[in-house]
Amino acid sequence: MDQKLIKQLEKQLEKTKKQLTKDLKSFAKKDPKIKGDWDTKFARVDIHRSDKNERADEVERYENLLPVEHTLELRLQDVEKALEKIKKGDYGKCGKCGKDIEIKRLEALPEAKLCMKCAS
Ligand SMILES: [Zn+2]
């Protein structure tokens, strides 16, 4: 694979990694026990002072954020895996059939793990 292209994709991946980490940090905190796992923060609501509606809002916010957190977390894991592969020199190979992933696909999704055929 073209080294120049790999460098370019690596830059893109680093940028995505920074953005994802920033997004996750805004509402979740890293689980220190599990690598790559994030927990959505549950803002503490003062049960004595807050009324029922306020508490319901907080629960709703939490429930809405959980799937977002999960998506961002998985994407971040893929990005980190792709960066590791670049370092090891086996980037761009399909995890299923072992063939080279299409360059067009990598340009659109640098963290892609599968080629177009296997992903569809
Ligand atoms: Zn494949």
Side-chain angles (χ1 to χ4, degrees), residues 94-99 114-115 117-118:
C94 172
K96 210 167 165 188
C97 68
K99 285 185 190 149
L114 300 173
C115 69
K117 220 176 153 190
C118 296

Side-chain angles (χ1 to χ4, degrees), residues 11-53:
K11 256 189 208 160
Q12 223 174 302
L13 282 162
E14 289 285 1
K15 219 172 133 192
T16 311
K17 186 181 162 180
K18 261 186 207 151
Q19 189 56 50
L20 286 170
T21 309
K22 208 177 135 203
D23 287 350
L24 272 165
K25 270 187 183 158
S26 68
F27 66 86
K29 67 173 173 35
K30 226 174 175 162
D31 190 329
K33 282 168 284 187
I34 308 165
K35 194 181 173 264
D37 192 41
W38 291 72
D39 291 317
T40 300
K41 281 182 214 159
F42 208 145
R44 282 178 187 278
V45 177
D46 193 326
I47 291 169
H48 300 290
R49 267 194 300 180
S50 63
D51 61 42
K52 243 190 196 155
N53 288 335

